Amino acid sequence: MENCCKFPFQLIRIFPNGDVFFCWWTSKYVLGNIFKDSFEDIWFGEKAQAFRKTILDGSYKYCSEFCTLKQSKGQKSEEPNFNYPECIDLAYNKFCNVRCKMCRDELICETKEDTEKQEKFIEKIVPICKHAKTVSINGEGEALSSPHFRKLIKILAETYPHLSFIIFSNGLLLKKDILRDLGIIDRLNYVIVSVHAATKKTYNKIVCGSDFDTVLDNIKHINKKTFIQLMFVISSLNYKEMPDFLKLASNFNSVVCFEKFKPCHSETSSMCRDHEKYECWEPGHPEYKKFLKVLKKTIRVAKKNKYKYFFQDAHILKLAKQVDKDPWWVGLKNKIFKK
């Protein structure tokens, strides 16, 4: 199982309409719906088993082209022993307290009516989490700004003392008093924070309604036992800060996830509607050559300083491998890192 995707054997992701998937890259392959099907039928059913076979045979037939693991497919794996999923990913929140340009132009706030609609999730989700080790609070927005999610997190924390939590956040509400009130301040397994910039000036161009210094201060005070990942969605607005972002992340002993901007919210974001302007990794973009130079510098800086990072997108990963074939650098690298 070392070289194959573990998600189909360990995780499920629940979307706003109750549909269940294995991950973001399989969002066209619906396993079932929590309001129509029993959880056992979803997890152990024919559709789930058929999907797992494509992972074990190395074909990754139903996975998106964006998946990095699909790009290295071909190796068959033995089916692991598994029972219920270890992680339940709640990816149905769309409400947020800030506006990131790649997501939306206007705030999408949770109304009282929205909260009431979401209440039906609680009676379904709480039993599903019984056998899990971890609950991931995900989605397109900021769950900590949602009355529904705050209520749900408290219920889960009180009902299952063994549960740990993964939080996806913009960082503005990752405050000690909020985490303590939710009962998860010492139960954060993993925190993923979207920052997207190494400087306040660039941050303010991308994230509207937030505060760069507050976000960094909140990250600094996260429990030291918590694994921290900082997200950097690459676009023409910020790619020049990729090397400096690695240095910034090192201050928090965190790993960096570089992911390219994808126009997936075209109805709510002008940046998505005009996405070609921001896709600096495309050969036809006027800043393509500059982007490749920065990408190469980013890799060299990471290797020299042993910064922790990865590319989540298959296309960027392919470009990274292309620009990292400098014989001079490889020789220097071997001298620096020789055992």
Side-chain angles (χ1 to χ4, degrees):
M1 281 293 288
E2 289 184 5
N3 297 315
C4 80
C5 178
K6 297 178 177 61
F7 281 0
F9 306 94
Q10 297 180 352
L11 177 144
I12 61 161
R13 177 162 280 150
I14 301 173
F15 274 22
N17 62 352
D19 281 349
V20 178
F21 307 84
F22 282 131
C23 82
W24 288 115
W25 305 140
T26 63
S27 58
K28 293 183 179 180
Y29 193 95
V30 184
L31 300 171
N33 187 288
I34 61 172
F35 299 113
K36 300 175 183 178
D37 309 298
S38 73
F39 181 63
E40 283 70 22
D41 287 344
I42 294 173
W43 181 249
F44 298 105
E46 291 184 7
K47 292 201 70 175
Q49 297 293 12
F51 186 95
R52 292 184 183 111
K53 286 181 180 179
T54 69
I55 302 300
L56 298 174
D57 66 22
S59 69
Y60 287 67
K61 178 180 177 180
Y62 301 114
C63 302
S64 165
E65 62 180 12
F66 294 119
C67 176
T68 54
L69 284 173
K70 184 173 183 176
Q71 303 305 311
S72 57
K73 65 184 179 181
Q75 183 172 348
K76 294 184 178 181
S77 303
E78 294 182 4
E79 184 168 356
N81 294 322
F82 70 96
N83 198 355
Y84 287 91
E86 296 181 5
C87 181
I88 309 297
D89 188 5
L90 307 180
Y92 63 87
N93 175 57
K94 65 178 181 179
F95 308 104
C96 196
N97 57 331
V98 303
R99 292 177 291 120
C100 294
K101 286 197 68 174
M102 67 282 289
C103 290
R104 60 198 71 188
D105 293 333
E106 298 178 357
L107 280 178
I108 302 178
C109 300
E110 183 174 331
T111 65
K112 182 179 179 181
E113 182 180 1
D114 292 322
T115 304
E116 291 174 351
K117 287 181 179 179
Q118 288 180 323
E119 288 297 295
K120 60 183 181 180
F121 276 88
I122 293 180
E123 63 181 67
K124 293 290 183 180
I125 288 171
V126 174
I128 289 175
C129 296
K130 180 179 180 180
H131 301 287
K133 295 179 181 179
T134 306
V135 170
S136 175
I137 311 298
N138 201 336
E140 298 175 10
E142 174 58 66
L144 296 180
S145 70
S146 161
H148 163 73
F149 268 93
R150 287 207 190 192
K151 177 180 178 180
L152 177 59
I153 291 170
K154 290 188 76 169
I155 291 174
L156 290 173
E158 293 171 359
T159 306
Y160 305 119
H162 68 281
L163 271 183
S164 62
F165 292 82
I166 298 173
I167 299 289
F168 287 68
S169 174
N170 57 49
L172 196 59
L173 296 176
L174 280 174
K175 300 179 181 295
K176 280 189 173 182
D177 57 339
I178 292 177
L179 298 176
R180 187 178 294 109
D181 179 64
L182 294 175
I184 62 173
I185 191 167
D186 296 319
R187 294 164 66 178
L188 290 176
N189 178 307
Y190 202 134
V191 173
I192 301 174
V193 188
S194 298
V195 183
H196 313 309
T199 64
K200 181 184 291 189
K201 182 179 180 179
T202 300
Y203 181 83
N204 289 340
K205 290 179 182 179
I206 297 171
V207 186
C208 304
S210 186
D211 184 84
F212 187 65
D213 295 328
T214 298
V215 170
L216 296 187
D217 193 56
N218 288 342
I219 296 172
K220 182 172 67 176
H221 291 100
I222 292 174
N223 190 305
K224 300 301 180 184
K225 295 181 180 179
T226 302
F227 185 88
I228 302 173
Q229 175 182 309
L230 300 190
M231 287 292 301
F232 189 103
V233 174
I234 305 167
S235 73
S236 60
L237 295 173
N238 62 0
Y239 76 88
K240 293 178 182 178
E241 295 191 359
M242 290 171 65
D244 290 335
F245 192 75
L246 287 171
K247 182 177 180 180
L248 174 70
S250 70
N251 295 331
F252 309 107
N253 193 32
S254 60
V255 63
V256 171
C257 172
F258 288 115
E259 180 179 6
K260 77 175 185 181
F261 159 63
K262 300 180 183 68
C264 53
H265 305 292
S266 57
E267 295 182 358
T268 58
S269 165
S270 57
M271 186 171 170
C272 288
R273 291 192 291 272
D274 300 326
H275 58 90
E276 294 91 351
K277 295 180 182 179
Y278 304 95
E279 296 170 343
C280 51
W281 51 85
E282 293 293 347
H285 194 278
E287 297 186 59
Y288 177 66
K289 290 184 179 179
K290 291 182 180 179
F291 169 71
L292 292 182
K293 290 181 179 180
V294 173
L295 181 61
K296 188 172 186 177
K297 180 180 178 181
T298 301
I299 297 169
R300 290 185 174 184
V301 167
K303 289 180 177 180
K304 180 180 178 180
N305 297 283
K306 298 183 180 180
Y307 292 144
K308 296 174 287 186
Y309 77 103
F310 65 97
F311 297 109
Q312 187 158 290
D313 179 85
H315 181 72
I316 301 297
L317 179 61
K318 183 178 180 180
L319 289 178
K321 290 179 178 179
Q322 290 175 359
V323 301
D324 194 35
K325 291 183 178 180
D326 188 331
W328 173 84
W329 170 247
V330 172
L332 180 60
K333 177 195 70 173
N334 292 336
K335 290 181 180 178
I336 294 174
F337 296 107
K338 67 180 180 179
K339 296 182 179 179

